[in-house]
Amino acid sequence: RDRNESILEALNGLKKVQRDRVIARVVYGYSVKEIANMYGCSPSAISQDINNGIRKLRTVLDELEVS
């Protein structure tokens, strides 16, 4: 398994909305405020969701021994 496959597998383990928010922040570089506006949520809720998603990704990737 290569690194990209592991990352995709880890991303697919997230709920769709959480995955979309993480990708918007990390890949596309949207600010938390911009993402909050997109979803009609508070920035604190978005920030918490993104942080939880990244934490889950790290856990899964650590288990797959990808860093």
Side-chain angles (χ1 to χ4, degrees):
R1 162 191 322 247
D2 73 0
R3 183 182 172 134
N4 290 337
E5 289 174 346
S6 296
I7 292 169
L8 286 174
E9 181 179 330
L11 280 168
N12 286 328
L14 299 177
K15 295 176 188 173
K16 183 183 180 337
V17 172
Q18 187 174 48
R19 180 176 60 242
D20 291 346
R21 291 172 178 176
V22 168
I23 290 171
R25 180 74 179 118
V26 176
V27 176
Y28 294 109
Y30 287 105
S31 70
V32 170
K33 186 175 180 180
E34 289 171 318
I35 299 167
N37 288 334
M38 289 179 211
Y39 285 93
C41 298
S42 70
S44 62
I46 295 296
S47 182
Q48 182 177 9
D49 196 31
I50 290 170
N51 289 336
N52 289 339
I54 290 172
R55 190 174 306 115
K56 288 178 190 176
L57 289 174
R58 284 187 181 136
T59 300
V60 170
L61 292 173
D62 284 346
E63 290 171 3
L64 296 172
E65 298 183 275
V66 175
S67 50

